Amino acid sequence: MDSAEFRRRGKEMVDFVADYLEGIEGRQVYPDVEPGYLRPLIPTTAPEEPDMFEDIISDVEKIIMPGVTHWHSPFFFAYFPSANSYPALLADILCGAIGCIGFSWGSASEATLVALLAARTKVTRRLQAASPGLTQGAIMEKLVAYSSDQAHSSVERAGLIGGVKLKAIPSDGKFAMRASALQEALERDKAEGLIPFFVVATLGTTSCCSFDNLLEVGPICNKEDMWLHIDAAYAGSSFICPEFRHLLNGVEFADSFNFNPHKWLLVNFDCSAMWVKKRTDLIGAFKLDPLYLKHNHQDSGLITDYRHWQLPLGRRFRSLKMWFVFRMYGVKGLQAYIRKHVRLAHEFERLVQQDPRFEICTEVTLGLVCFRLKGSNRLNEELLERINSAKKIHLVPCHLRDKFVLRFAICARTVESAHVQLAWKHVAQLATSLLATPRD
Amino acid sequence: MDSAEFRRRGKEMVDFVADYLEGIEGRQVYPDVEPGYLRPLIPTTAPEEPDMFEDIISDVEKIIMPGVTHWHSPFFFAYFPSANSYPALLADILCGAIGCIGFSWGSASEATLVALLAARTKVTRRLQAASPGLTQGAIMEKLVAYSSDQAHSSVERAGLIGGVKLKAIPSDGKFAMRASALQEALERDKAEGLIPFFVVATLGTTSCCSFDNLLEVGPICNKEDMWLHIDAAYAGSSFICPEFRHLLNGVEFADSFNFNPHKWLLVNFDCSAMWVKKRTDLIGAFKLDPLYLKHNHQDSGLITDYRHWQLPLGRRFRSLKMWFVFRMYGVKGLQAYIRKHVRLAHEFERLVQQDPRFEICTEVTLGLVCFRLKGSNRLNEELLERINSAKKIHLVPCHLRDKFVLRFAICARTVESAHVQLAWKHVAQLATSLLATPRD
């Protein structure tokens, strides 16, 4: 869909919305359907080729609306009001388009925390079943979780919030967590009386898009009865392409897995997808059922009460965004999008390699290139400062061990070879003028 | 703004968005402004009378856009991609309009949890400063938090997640938490060696819209060095009307306060507003600053890094919705909206009172009426079952002590006296046929 079609479809959608809200009083406020009604009405996989917009919007009325409780019907007197107004809807359209992320993003953080909390509950119950005298405090004091030293800061934060120790496992030369380093930490901690219970493995780290070795780490987690959570926030989207699927080998050892379609799968923020092997582990951890939240189907197994899967109770109807995107791009369109980004990253990588003043810092697997000027950290900090002061392009840095490194991530939906070429020319020119500056 | 104007403005907004995304390459990817630039450009209070839409949209370009980092510019190569596509934007428009809340709502839950975690960190640091030998586990085992027995289930959940005890204080005849009951619990727990550290007071409980007595509870919290969090998720919006302001008396004792504009202030989900007295208490609790999230202004005090205020890192640009709503309704429009809802609740209350088969269960203060048939819980459960099976209106129940009670909440933006009258007639008819049914 190009912007001309968006103009047309967007206006149709505005009319659709106005029609819906004008006519809402005539709709039955509460649906007739039974849980599970939707499953046979939608295909089990995303379409290979894009669907037509007309078909999607007609399906909205045909298959989605029959399942909707109309919260904005004037005959809805349940719970408390949930606000809705035309100005807010207008602002939300704009909010989606600007699509800026308040300083950073990462509902993957919440998934990590939820997994850690579920694992904490699980191990606590197991230990208390074995030794009924053990208090929660006594157990928590000994719990220890692990992640690679390359894991996202939100993993450490999950440890702080969960009130448990989190230890960083030194990664190998490719910035991956390996069996030996994990095993070593485990032995040492167990010898000190600590209780290992949780491991976060990252597929596609934020700093350099490295991949922890699931085939090595997974079996250790299973053997030691530790919960294995996989954070594939960025890289997860690439697994829709068969050629990147091997990066996922070992996923069968995981207890939970998360990736963010709002990063790389064309679904605007926020949209973070989480799987758990045994959903009762999550649900059992924090389930509370006051009367005003009870419903007839909660123990039927037919429905998934996502409020037990997350920290806030409420959720927006975000699956609608995924459904539109899957149907209007089709699997082929989505794969083409991922492949284009990876191709552009390799294009930038080659440009860097052809300039002897620069070095590539780690293998380019997906859409991220880590690079730097050969030379001091100070020099590279200065280069980044000049790049970001000029404001023609925007980059953020990272540390890889003791090195200050520039991260070039292929981001925009609209980025093309021309932008990458321009960006590199700009970086190279700034480097030239920087290197010509007398150094103290 | 009526639906005719929404059709017009919505289409203008679609064009605005398409223009923005088509032209994004021509905008400087990173803004020139300094933190604080926005403050003198916007008024310190919401307008009394509604603003014109033309003025708002022209201000978007004039005062908002200069502060935006264009995450979807093809010259943005920082962090990782954040997705954006036309189909997702279309779906999001629809998502906002349907505005259903996944089973329930309540980002107020997250605010409660964040406050509890901050309080937990604060008391732990204080105790460890006094007795350096104390471990976190030893302290956590003794921590105890309190709320009224009428508090939302998310408060209990916050206790579970935070790994601390949470005790319910018996409320009084008006379902309010009072000094005597809290004091009694405190004395008993302190005598047992526990450490009281956190109190949640609710203004406008979910079950019956009761109000904890802040003027009594507040001073106890301050004296005992316990963090006082106020959950005003629903009632908070009403405080824009002077006549409801007295319900807020005692707020000066609070350490944190939360309400949900997405409930009753015309800003569609999600939008939950939290204040803290000392923001360093929150920020200090879980602040982590990896290099890729560092920026030049973080220690300047000029900006507020909301990522330290919440569990996920990322935030949508939700203030845009509030800004549109405040400007297009004006304070007067918003006050009129709250007052209309309260008036409709009293209208329903009078209808119930005029029918001797029914009783009102608790004082109607804002937009919620708790009522029931005089008689057994079984009878009322049956009435609710018939109401919700007919699907003409939708209600949820609650328990008040041992009584099963029907909650009639004024919800929709479009609800009028006619809907309330129809709803009552419907309920009264169902009651008539129910009471005519032979009982076993």
Side-chain angles (χ1 to χ4, degrees), chain B residues 369-384:
Chain B
V369 184
C370 288
F371 72 108
R372 68 196 301 276
L373 276 169
K374 291 170 185 163
S376 69
N377 282 350
R378 177 118 184 257
L379 189 70
N380 281 284
E381 283 166 23
E382 176 69 23
L383 176 61
L384 182 72

Side-chain angles (χ1 to χ4, degrees), chain A residues 1 3 6-7 10-11 13 15 17-19 22 25 28-32 53 71-92 96-102 104-105 117 120 135 140-141 152-153 156-157 160-161 205-206 234 262-263 266-270 286 288 290-293 305 307 310-311 313-316 320-321 324-325 329 391-399 407-413 415 419, chain B residues 1 3 6-7 10-11 13 15 17-19 22 25 28-32 53 71-92 96-105 117 120 135 140-141 152-153 156-157 160-161 205-206 234 262-263 266-270 286 288 290-293 307 310-311 313-317 320-321 324-325 329 391-399 407-413 419:
Chain A
M1 179 178 284
S3 67
F6 173 73
R7 285 177 200 270
K11 289 165 195 177
M13 184 59 92
D15 279 327
V17 161
D19 289 345
E22 276 179 355
E25 191 173 333
Q28 182 173 287
V29 59
Y30 197 80
D32 279 324
F53 182 75
W71 281 65
H72 303 292
S73 160
F75 294 114
F76 186 94
F77 300 103
Y79 310 104
F80 272 136
S82 99
N84 193 293
S85 74
Y86 289 123
L89 292 178
L90 290 178
D92 224 16
I98 293 178
C100 60
I101 313 295
S104 179
W105 72 89
L117 294 172
R120 190 185 77 183
T135 64
M140 276 180 63
E141 198 156 27
H152 192 265
S153 61
E156 191 180 342
R157 201 158 172 268
L160 281 175
I161 292 172
T205 58
T206 305
Y234 166 65
H262 72 240
K263 278 203 175 61
L266 292 157
V267 183
N268 59 320
F269 187 83
D270 52 338
F286 306 109
L288 292 172
L291 187 58
Y292 48 82
L293 294 178
D305 254 355
R307 65 192 161 97
Q310 59 177 16
L311 298 171
L313 281 181
R315 305 169 61 79
R316 299 170 73 236
L320 211 50
K321 290 190 284 191
F324 269 53
V325 168
Y329 280 88
K391 296 179 186 176
K392 286 192 183 175
I393 66 173
H394 189 49
L395 300 185
V396 291
C398 71
H399 275 136
R407 292 172 74 268
F408 188 89
I410 305 296
C411 288
R413 178 175 53 80
V415 61
H419 302 107
Chain B
M1 180 179 282
S3 67
F6 173 72
R7 286 178 199 270
K11 289 164 194 176
M13 185 58 91
D15 279 326
V17 161
D19 290 344
E22 276 179 356
E25 191 173 334
Q28 182 174 287
V29 59
Y30 197 81
D32 279 324
F53 181 76
W71 281 65
H72 303 291
S73 160
F75 294 114
F76 185 93
F77 299 103
Y79 310 103
F80 272 135
S82 97
N84 194 292
S85 74
Y86 288 124
L89 292 179
L90 290 178
D92 224 15
I98 294 177
C100 61
I101 313 295
F103 286 106
S104 180
W105 71 89
L117 294 171
R120 189 185 78 183
T135 64
M140 276 179 63
E141 198 156 26
H152 192 265
S153 60
E156 191 179 343
R157 199 156 173 267
L160 281 174
I161 292 172
T205 57
T206 305
Y234 166 65
H262 72 240
K263 278 203 175 64
L266 292 156
V267 183
N268 60 321
F269 188 83
D270 53 337
F286 306 109
L288 292 171
L291 188 58
Y292 48 82
L293 294 178
R307 66 192 160 98
Q310 59 177 19
L311 297 172
L313 280 181
R315 303 168 62 77
R316 301 170 71 237
F317 189 177
L320 212 50
K321 291 191 283 191
F324 269 53
V325 167
Y329 279 89
K391 296 178 185 176
K392 286 193 181 173
I393 66 173
H394 189 50
L395 300 185
V396 291
C398 71
H399 276 137
R407 293 173 74 267
F408 188 90
I410 305 296
C411 288
R413 178 175 53 80
H419 302 107

Side-chain angles (χ1 to χ4, degrees), chain B residues 270-286:
Chain B
D270 53 337
C271 180
S272 190
M274 184 179 187
W275 284 263
V276 280
K277 190 168 270 171
K278 271 182 68 183
R279 64 177 180 176
T280 49
D281 285 339
L282 273 198
I283 296 167
F286 306 109

